[in-house]
Amino acid sequence: MRYDIAIIGTGPAGLEAAITAKVRNKTVALYGNRLLSNKMQVVDHPILNYLGLPSITGKQMAEAFTRQLAELGVEITEQKVTSVYAMGDYYGLQLGNGEMAEATTVILASGVVAGKPYPGEERFLGRGVSYCATCDAPLYKGKTVAVIGGSSEEEAEADFLGEVCAKVYYLPLYKDEPSFTHENIEIVKEKPLEILGKMKANALKTDQREINVDCVFILRAAVFPGQLVPGLASQGNAVQVDLMMKTNLPGLFAAGDITGQPYQYIKAAGQGNVAALSAVSYIDALKRANA
């Protein structure tokens, strides 16, 4: 099935985009977390400047958003989108389970990605650097790999690599103690600094040593915009958009924190609305052109 609009992210921008698209009678694929944005879940203090929802906490706001999604029949697909490819008149979305989804338009609303890519990450992407263990594990059967895990949610992918690879070095970027079922997964409490190689990546440099590997899997909650969508114009960690939330790629839009400051719920929701309306207009224009 090819959706009209695929939306990546379940913060205020992505949710508003999904709601607007649904009201406009478009088919929607919404990718994210059923608990919605973690940013909302950790806000226990009242939010004072969101119109119509005065003095409620982030958690209460998330509950209100969830009820509205249910009323409109908008479902959330809990699959990470690791890559988005322009395929001419539609986009292909590589999912974390190895499957591909298709959509005429895409709205990026996955939030801001903290930090910056590791030295060597962009250079060796697809040549010894991967963002999806489930997708690329078969390429490294019987080999040695490193996994940089951004959160405990990434441990399942690392465990899967333990089934396929001869050796897995796991570098957690969080405080909780990782847990795995395979003895060939070694937990390395060192700071990753750089990905090394010549024609392809062959080592991960940490603050203590160099680890020889055949691939470095970088598992973050969200992928940097430039790595997520080849050819996407960005400045730093922010996607460049115009006032209609259009990016430099036809049929691709962005909204919310991913477009830069200010990082405000109300701003994100407004941009999500605009992005969805722009996507609807784009789809309608395509239909008229092909009629």
Side-chain angles (χ1 to χ4, degrees):
M1 174 182 177
R2 183 175 299 175
Y3 295 93
D4 292 322
I5 305 173
I7 300 165
I8 305 171
T10 46
L15 300 179
E16 176 59 41
I19 289 170
T20 299
K22 186 74 172 181
V23 169
R24 291 301 181 104
N25 202 33
K26 301 302 180 187
T27 56
V28 177
L30 177 59
Y31 297 97
N33 192 317
R34 286 190 175 89
L35 295 178
L36 309 188
S37 167
N38 182 64
K39 183 179 175 183
M40 286 191 286
Q41 296 294 344
V42 299
V43 175
D44 290 322
H45 59 77
I47 298 167
L48 302 177
N49 70 334
Y50 199 100
L51 184 65
L53 297 175
S55 300
I56 68 169
T57 67
K59 290 182 179 180
Q60 291 170 330
M61 182 179 287
E63 291 171 358
F65 291 168
T66 299
R67 288 195 298 272
Q68 189 169 1
L69 291 177
E71 289 173 2
L72 290 173
V74 177
E75 297 183 356
I76 296 172
T77 300
E78 288 191 309
Q79 280 293 335
K80 182 191 297 183
V81 179
T82 60
S83 298
V84 178
Y85 301 105
M87 306 295 289
D89 60 348
Y90 72 96
Y91 284 88
L93 289 81
Q94 178 72 60
L95 306 182
N97 61 1
E99 297 180 358
M100 290 287 294
E102 296 181 0
T104 304
T105 64
V106 174
I107 298 174
L108 305 178
S110 52
V112 64
V113 182
K116 59 183 179 180
Y118 294 105
E121 177 178 338
E122 295 175 305
R123 177 186 174 193
F124 295 117
L125 184 59
R127 295 185 293 119
V129 170
S130 172
Y131 297 138
C132 181
T134 308
C135 310
D136 293 338
L139 300 175
Y140 300 97
K141 184 177 182 180
K143 297 186 177 182
T144 299
V145 302
V147 177
I148 301 174
S151 72
S152 59
E153 294 180 1
E154 319 305 341
E155 292 174 16
E157 286 197 63
D159 224 6
F160 173 69
L161 285 169
E163 295 182 18
V164 179
C165 302
K167 178 72 174 182
V168 178
Y169 294 97
Y170 187 79
L171 290 80
L173 302 183
Y174 50 94
K175 295 181 180 180
D176 296 338
E177 188 66 26
S179 176
F180 301 106
T181 60
H182 296 87
E183 295 182 355
N184 61 337
I185 302 177
E186 179 181 339
I187 300 171
V188 179
K189 299 268 181 91
E190 300 171 17
K191 182 180 179 181
L193 298 178
E194 184 178 0
I195 299 167
L196 306 174
K198 292 184 179 180
M199 295 301 294
K200 67 182 295 295
N202 58 27
L204 175 63
K205 182 180 179 180
T206 75
D207 56 353
Q208 299 183 30
R209 56 175 167 156
E210 291 182 9
I211 305 174
N212 294 323
V213 295
D214 296 292
C215 182
V216 179
F217 288 89
I218 304 174
L219 308 182
R220 301 185 180 95
V223 180
F224 289 103
Q227 282 76 55
L228 180 65
V229 188
L232 177 65
S234 59
Q235 186 172 6
N237 294 344
V239 176
Q240 294 181 349
V241 294
D242 64 12
L243 292 177
M244 299 306 294
M245 300 298 107
K246 298 177 182 178
T247 70
N248 63 307
L249 301 176
L252 185 75
F253 309 87
D257 289 357
I258 199 172
T259 66
Q261 295 182 329
Y263 301 139
Q264 295 279 311
Y265 293 147
I266 193 71
K267 169 251 193 180
Q271 286 190 338
N273 173 263
V274 174
L277 293 176
S278 293
V280 169
S281 295
Y282 179 86
I283 294 167
D284 291 345
L286 279 182
K287 290 180 179 180
R288 289 194 297 270
N290 295 328

